[in-house]
Amino acid sequence: MFEQVLDPVGGSLGLSALCAVLPLLTLFVLLGALRVKAWIAGLVSLVVALLVAVLLYSMPVDQALLSATEGAAFGFFPILWIVLNAIWVYNLTVETGHFDVLRRSFEKVSPDQRIQSIIIAFCFGALLEALAGFGTPVAITVVMLMALGFAPLKAAAVALIANTAPVAFGALATPIVTLATVTSGVNDDAGLTVDNLGAMVGRQTPILAVVVPLVLVFVVDGKRGVRQTWPVALVSGLAFALAQFVAANYISVPLTDIIAALVSAAAIVAMLRVWTPSESPDLAREAVAAGGGPRGGGVGAGATAGEELGDRPGSQGPRDPGAPASREDGPAVPDSRSEVVKAYAPYLIIIVIFSLANISAVKEALSAAPWTKVFAWPGLDVFGPGSDTELSSTNYTFNWLPAAGTLMILAGILTMIVLKISPARGLRAYGRTYAELKWAIVTVMAVLALAYVMNQSGQTTSLGAWLAQTGSFFAFLSPILGWIGVAVTGSDTSANALFGALQVQTAAGAGLDPVLLAAANTSGGVLGKMVSPQNLAIAAAAVGMAGKEGELFRKVFGWSLLLLLVMCVIVVLQSTGALSWMIP
């Protein structure tokens, strides 16, 4: 048995908080300053967390190690279980060439690169984020944009900026599932559930979604792009925002981004039937005339990108999509209607399966035995400060059938049938997916183990109590904390695991709403995605600019800070009487 102590180091809260921050500081320095490989940084930081827990917080060695094992288990199931199987489904489409068919169908919607940036980076990127997350949308959409003639730096910047608004609900809302798990384990507020936190995030990130398409067309074509394409950009953003709000609050948190992406894409298609830009300049030709060239270093999404991604936290590198050259390189490839239907089939299958699984009666049935089992983690016995009740985080939920990753396997099997992939070929693709993501698996499990050790040893409790001294000003700092977490780890899920408990504990001490600040950690975090070294490496490697991440960083850093400031203001207003009515 272990009972947490708020100020175990010299009886001083400040000194205890200073010691508690050591694991996080280790992770930040190793990743951000020393550029150590993510899986190594994660393991080293985990060791530091264990030492702090045992030597300074007097946590028994067995309890500390058991906390780490529970966190690592949660990192694999359900988090990595979703990502691995989602990327496997994507790899199946690459195996058969249907990914290229999908790309060509997008190109036919509009020849205008400014509109293509919204369709591919924003809408399709959001769908990829919904299904897999963890860097997958950037790795895939940047290659598609390059194949359509986008200049390398521009394609990378567009893919990074677009990967913001959908991130909170990525990988079937894995960041929010993680947030609910780590926050409910340290705070007894009844609102810290997946549905409630998802609803709160769904009242913050849609505001970003409205402006992101406008930012994209500005990045692609400057003021001219905004002036000529603002109607379709605004329609896309508003459709996405409205759908994201409605889905998160009234339909299904895991399906939020899927619904928003499809609604936004449909709105663009409908808009283009009645409206076209006054001019559709050939931006690729203009780039060549200006001496830049649309390709630069060339598409480097093969082994180099895969190796980069495997070394980065929260970013799993899918296999090389094998995107063909740009439009000028050869005649268009005609695709039959049946091939186009097959290209879209995997995503339609996923939507149908998850929609059925989220029907109330089905969801309720699958949440009971034998499909779902909740059990106390063997040997783990942890109590909060002065509490006679065990932390709820010591309970582990093994929902083997209704888990999103298991449903994704079912979708993959049906995809194999539709695309006529043999079982042997599908199994080989599945094995390759695990091999490609081996270091990412270690990274995510290490980060979650680190988070569980910090939470259950009381380190985050000490940090929260110390930060609570900032009072109501913490409402402004809350999104920044999430931003820092994602900027360093490259993952909103990891940032929630690291700071989710800290946010609600600080909220309780500062008299702020814990649901609001927990959600703010996620919503602020999405804006750190575009400047994280991991995502920058993904984008740079994919466009053949490995080693030039600094140039890409400068391209997107200003947008990241500007949108973060907007989110900080939103959270502050929601913490006061001005917008407090938005809190569910």
Side-chain angles (χ1 to χ4, degrees):
M1 171 186 169
F2 170 68
E3 182 177 334
Q4 295 178 350
V5 178
L6 195 62
D7 52 356
V9 184
S12 167
L13 178 61
L15 189 57
S16 299
L18 183 63
C19 293
V21 83
L22 289 176
L24 297 177
L25 187 62
T26 301
L27 182 64
F28 292 174
V29 170
L30 290 177
L31 282 176
L34 302 181
R35 293 297 185 91
V36 173
K37 291 183 178 181
W39 67 273
I40 297 177
L43 290 175
V44 171
S45 302
L46 171 59
V47 171
V48 173
L50 287 167
L51 290 174
V52 171
V54 173
L55 299 179
L56 301 179
Y57 276 73
S58 302
M59 190 178 197
V61 174
D62 65 323
Q63 296 295 295
L65 292 175
L66 286 170
S67 293
T69 59
E70 185 188 10
F74 181 75
F76 186 83
F77 186 98
I79 294 177
L80 285 166
W81 188 238
I82 299 170
V83 178
L84 288 162
N85 295 320
I87 294 180
W88 172 57
V89 174
Y90 158 73
N91 281 340
L92 292 177
T93 68
V94 175
E95 285 276 340
T96 60
H98 285 90
F99 179 80
D100 288 335
V101 177
L102 186 68
R103 176 189 57 79
R104 288 192 290 269
S105 74
F106 285 154
E107 184 179 12
K108 293 175 183 176
V109 175
S110 173
D112 193 307
Q113 280 195 354
R114 299 164 300 185
I115 298 175
Q116 288 173 351
S117 71
I118 301 174
I119 296 171
I120 294 174
F122 186 66
C123 297
F124 186 60
L127 183 61
L128 293 172
E129 182 67 40
L131 301 178
F134 295 91
T136 305
V138 172
I140 295 174
T141 60
V142 73
V143 174
M144 294 178 74
L145 292 172
M146 284 284 289
L148 294 175
F150 279 69
L153 185 61
K154 193 172 290 184
V158 165
L160 288 167
I161 294 171
N163 192 220
T164 49
V167 167
F169 297 95
L172 300 167
T174 294
I176 295 174
V177 171
T178 303
L179 183 65
T181 301
V182 300
T183 56
S184 62
V186 296
N187 189 295
D188 58 2
D189 190 298
L192 296 172
T193 64
V194 171
D195 289 341
N196 216 45
L197 290 170
M200 186 67 246
V201 175
R203 303 176 189 199
Q204 294 172 336
T205 56
I207 300 173
L208 297 175
V210 175
V211 300
V212 168
L214 292 167
V215 174
L216 296 182
V217 297
F218 180 84
V219 171
V220 173
D221 193 29
K223 294 180 181 178
R224 179 181 65 177
V226 176
R227 185 175 64 253
Q228 294 181 351
T229 62
W230 70 264
V232 70
L234 190 58
V235 166
S236 171
L238 286 172
F240 189 97
L242 182 60
Q244 194 177 56
F245 166 76
V246 171
N249 282 271
Y250 304 111
I251 301 177
S252 167
V253 172
L255 294 176
T256 294
D257 274 351
I258 293 178
I259 294 171
L262 294 177
V263 169
S264 182
I268 293 175
V269 173
M271 179 77 173
L272 293 177
R273 290 183 180 275
V274 298
W275 174 92
T276 55
S278 59
E279 179 188 359
S280 291
D282 190 333
L283 299 180
R285 195 173 300 278
E286 287 183 4
V288 173
R295 297 201 145 270
V299 178
T304 302
E307 291 164 6
E308 282 283 345
L309 299 181
D311 292 341
R312 307 292 177 172
S315 299
Q316 287 76 41
R319 291 171 11 88
D320 178 10
S326 65
R327 290 172 293 176
E328 290 90 2
D329 292 343
V333 179
D335 297 310
S336 67
R337 184 182 297 272
S338 65
E339 289 301 303
V340 172
V341 171
K342 287 181 180 178
Y344 281 92
Y347 306 100
L348 296 175
I349 290 170
I350 291 169
I351 292 168
V352 170
I353 289 175
F354 281 93
S355 297
L356 292 174
N358 277 276
I359 295 174
S360 298
V362 176
K363 191 174 183 179
E364 185 177 345
L366 293 177
S367 64
W371 321 117
T372 297
K373 182 173 177 57
V374 180
F375 59 91
W377 195 254
L380 192 58
D381 196 12
V382 180
F383 294 79
S387 173
D388 57 358
T389 305
E390 280 194 87
L391 296 181
S392 61
S393 61
T394 59
N395 292 325
Y396 183 80
T397 301
F398 184 59
N399 53 339
W400 65 273
L401 182 58
T406 306
L407 298 178
M408 196 65 74
I409 286 183
L410 177 58
I413 293 172
L414 294 176
T415 295
M416 289 170 57
I417 295 172
V418 172
L419 300 185
K420 298 180 180 179
I421 300 174
S422 69
R425 191 178 180 190
L427 284 173
R428 285 195 297 271
Y430 196 71
R432 282 196 302 270
T433 301
Y434 273 75
E436 290 162 359
L437 305 183
K438 57 182 180 294
W439 299 122
I441 292 172
V442 175
T443 300
V444 173
M445 293 178 70
V447 169
L448 266 295
L450 161 69
Y452 267 65
V453 171
M454 290 189 65
N455 292 344
Q456 295 183 351
S457 67
Q459 294 174 56
T460 53
T461 306
S462 297
L463 279 170
W466 181 72
L467 286 172
Q469 297 174 8
T470 62
S472 59
F473 182 66
F474 189 73
F476 184 84
L477 299 177
S478 181
I480 298 176
L481 194 61
W483 183 89
I484 292 172
V486 176
V488 172
T489 68
S491 163
D492 207 25
T493 297
S494 297
N496 282 345
L498 290 174
F499 295 137
L502 175 61
Q503 293 275 11
V504 299
Q505 289 174 327
T506 304
L512 296 167
D513 192 296
V515 172
L516 171 64
L517 296 199
N521 193 77
T522 293
S523 299
V526 306
L527 300 169
K529 193 85 167 178
M530 69 177 84
V531 296
S532 69
Q534 303 73 253
N535 258 23
L536 289 171
I538 293 171
V543 298
M545 294 178 61
K548 298 183 179 179
E549 290 84 359
E551 186 178 351
L552 183 54
F553 174 82
R554 290 189 294 272
K555 187 83 170 177
V556 300
F557 183 67
W559 292 112
S560 180
L561 287 187
L562 178 62
L563 293 174
L564 175 62
L565 178 60
V566 171
M567 183 54 64
C568 289
V569 172
I570 292 170
V571 173
V572 168
L573 292 176
Q574 289 176 334
S575 71
T576 67
L579 294 179
S580 60
W581 51 268
M582 294 181 69
I583 302 175

